[in-house]
Amino acid sequence: MMALSNSLLRASVPLWFILLSACTTTRETFDGQTPERVWAAMVAVAKTPDYMNTPDVTERWFVRENFVNDDEEARTIEVLRKLERELHVPNQPVVREQREWKFQIVMEQDDPPKVRFTSRGTEVPARAWNEADRFFAQVWDVLGVKTPPKPQPTPKVQPTQEQREAIQIYDG
């Protein structure tokens, strides 16, 4: 039994490495905005990220390095960013943390502007999604839209008469 658990542990290590080193991608569509405005907001947010104006103190970071390469012609932004913080929680020791981000932001289409955010580092995917959400929220804020428009839900398809009859038969 011990040999089986050891072999399972060894087999799971490469899987965890793959999960932590894989790229994480998310997209945002900026309905009602022009590509020029969205591009300008993307560059502004990439060059001047804000990690301090958040009500959640556990999400506040100091930006130590922020290298940004923006290529307007290709509509691509490459970012290498280093963050650090000291987290003070009552009755707990001070936690010192550092985080490094490598990500690419690409405007994929112009009408409506659609932007792809890809984390290229070795972060946990959930952290990368949070970073993408933070980036997109700040872009919306720069655009002057405090609450991004919610996607319209897909209307429910009404069951056919045949499907309703089948449901009634099943329900008894």
Side-chain angles (χ1 to χ4, degrees):
M1 185 66 170
M2 183 62 120
L4 177 61
S5 65
N6 284 341
S7 63
L8 287 174
L9 179 62
R10 280 192 298 265
S12 68
V13 170
L15 179 60
W16 280 108
F17 179 74
I18 290 169
L19 288 175
L20 292 177
S21 64
C23 292
T24 301
T25 300
T26 186
R27 289 172 172 79
E28 181 87 6
T29 302
F30 291 88
D31 288 321
Q33 303 296 319
T34 66
E36 294 76 21
R37 288 192 72 223
V38 172
W39 175 254
M42 289 167 51
V43 171
V45 170
K47 289 184 176 182
T48 58
D50 181 7
Y51 288 87
M52 295 304 288
N53 290 319
T54 176
D56 185 356
V57 295
T58 66
E59 293 302 319
R60 294 181 185 163
W61 293 83
F62 291 99
V63 179
R64 291 297 174 217
E65 294 180 27
N66 188 45
F67 299 106
V68 177
N69 181 17
D70 60 291
D71 181 351
E72 185 170 5
E73 193 172 307
R75 299 286 187 161
T76 301
I77 303 170
E78 297 283 343
V79 177
L80 171 60
R81 184 173 296 156
K82 294 182 180 179
L83 309 171
E84 64 181 43
R85 71 176 174 182
E86 285 188 357
L87 186 58
H88 298 264
V89 179
N91 300 319
Q92 298 291 321
V94 174
V95 177
R96 289 176 178 82
E97 294 180 279
Q98 295 179 340
R99 194 169 285 173
E100 183 176 293
W101 288 110
K102 295 177 187 174
F103 51 86
Q104 179 185 61
I105 309 152
V106 178
M107 185 177 288
E108 294 181 319
Q109 70 182 36
D110 285 347
D111 191 24
K114 187 173 191 173
V115 177
R116 179 183 73 226
F117 181 103
T118 303
S119 170
R120 303 166 106 185
T122 56
E123 276 293 331
V124 176
R127 286 185 182 167
W129 294 328
N130 287 340
E131 181 65 13
D133 289 346
R134 185 205 58 76
F135 177 82
F136 288 136
Q138 287 184 10
V139 170
W140 279 111
D141 193 45
V142 168
L143 291 169
V145 181
K146 297 297 182 193
T147 307
K150 299 283 184 214
Q152 295 298 320
T154 307
K156 292 183 179 180
V157 177
Q158 295 296 320
T160 64
Q161 181 62 33
E162 184 177 290
Q163 289 170 331
R164 275 187 271 206
E165 291 171 0
I167 292 170
Q168 287 174 348
I169 290 170
Y170 180 76
D171 287 343

